[in-house]
Amino acid sequence: MSRLFLRSPEAVAGTIILALLVAMALAAPWLFPRDPLAIAGPAMLPPFQDWTIPLGTDRLGRDVLSGLFHGARTSLAVGLAAAATSIVVGVLVGTIAGFAGGWVDEVLMRVTDAFQTVPGFLLALAFVSVAGPSLGVVVVAIALGAWTQPARITRAEVLSIRERDYVAGARVIGMHPAEIAFREVLPNALPPVLALSSVIVAAAVLTEAALSFLGLGDPNRVTWGGMIAEGRAVLRSAPFLSIVPGIALVLTVLGVYLVGEGAVEASAVKRGNA
């Protein structure tokens, strides 16, 4: 599988981008040990004027490069945590609904429909507005709007798998229904759901940036969305304040998307060879 993955130019490019972003996130505390929200120099210092502050400073005199590195930690943490939460919840709901069937399936799918009627960003916006901005609240808010797709895909796969012979054999030998569902059926239903994870991570990163742009991100953390919003007021005189974090955001989403495409292509080739 790894060889097939590395044969894809998209996968290689995406892996390089994500590896650089992860390196930025991990290196941030060592390269920039000071608080990224602290004043580092004169306000509105242009890039490449002072090599101790290579990308200049914002309106309050904060180091843009330090914010960029620490913002990578926030974006990756929120993206991965929100994707993991939404996939776990969606897989549980989809497995129970698909395997149990009957009124259980009906109730869970109606709940899923109710969540799908509200756009994910509006749901996250409302939840953060009520609960208050913090990193944990943002993760939960994003997951609330993202778990429905994994739930529906898992349910569809489970409905197909539960009729196969090995599942009937497990029932005959007396295995508990929960054990059959989560030990025999679920592992075979996961691949299509995991292929969706890259889309969920990319959407989570963008949603977190949008919430921060609107002032609903964690106020104690540097975020790329917050940096873009900070530069909006001086867009004509200092466009670099918004352009630099904007490029980082685009590269993150692009890297996640390319890795996801590479994984899907590799799995398709592997199934074809099998």
Side-chain angles (χ1 to χ4, degrees):
M1 180 71 175
S2 58
R3 290 182 180 179
L4 295 174
F5 179 79
L6 293 176
R7 287 179 187 174
S8 169
E10 295 91 347
V12 173
T15 301
I16 292 172
I17 293 172
L18 288 185
L20 290 174
L21 290 168
V22 170
M24 286 175 59
L26 294 177
W30 286 273
L31 294 178
F32 303 97
R34 291 182 58 190
D35 183 358
L37 296 174
I39 294 174
M44 300 289 291
L45 181 70
F48 313 123
Q49 299 295 314
D50 182 349
W51 289 105
T52 61
I53 314 173
L55 293 183
T57 58
D58 64 8
R59 292 191 301 163
L60 299 178
R62 296 174 296 194
D63 187 349
V64 173
L65 185 61
S66 174
L68 198 66
F69 271 67
H70 283 272
R73 295 170 65 86
T74 304
S75 291
L76 292 177
V78 169
L80 294 174
T85 304
S86 59
I87 288 174
V88 168
V89 173
V91 163
L92 286 174
V93 171
T95 301
I96 294 170
F99 194 79
W103 68 269
V104 174
D105 182 25
E106 192 68 24
V107 169
L108 290 177
M109 285 302 99
R110 295 298 74 78
V111 172
T112 304
D113 290 340
F115 273 87
Q116 282 191 310
T117 57
V118 183
F121 179 71
L122 291 182
L123 188 62
L125 190 66
F127 187 82
V128 174
S129 299
V130 172
S134 70
L135 202 63
V137 169
V138 170
V139 169
V140 174
I142 295 171
L144 279 175
W147 67 270
T148 54
Q149 273 190 304
R152 287 200 170 277
I153 293 175
T154 303
R155 174 181 177 270
E157 291 294 315
V158 170
L159 285 174
S160 171
I161 295 171
R162 73 176 186 177
E163 304 299 332
R164 296 181 183 175
D165 291 341
Y166 72 89
V167 177
R171 289 194 182 100
V172 169
I173 63 174
M175 286 182 67
H176 192 276
E179 188 178 5
I180 297 174
F182 290 101
R183 188 174 177 181
E184 302 293 332
V185 175
L186 179 57
N188 294 308
L190 277 180
V193 180
L194 296 179
L196 185 67
S197 60
S198 62
V199 177
I200 297 175
V201 172
V205 170
L206 288 175
T207 303
E208 185 277 328
L211 290 172
S212 297
F213 182 83
L214 296 174
L216 293 174
D218 190 333
N220 299 315
R221 289 178 178 267
V222 176
T223 63
W224 290 339
M227 293 175 70
I228 295 171
E230 176 67 25
R232 178 180 52 177
V234 289
L235 192 59
R236 291 187 178 182
S237 59
F240 69 93
L241 293 178
S242 292
I243 291 174
V244 170
I247 291 173
L249 190 61
V250 170
L251 288 176
T252 301
V253 174
L254 179 63
V256 172
Y257 173 78
L258 291 176
V259 168
E261 283 292 302
V264 170
E265 289 181 12
S267 62
V269 171
K270 184 177 180 180
R271 286 196 300 268
N273 292 338

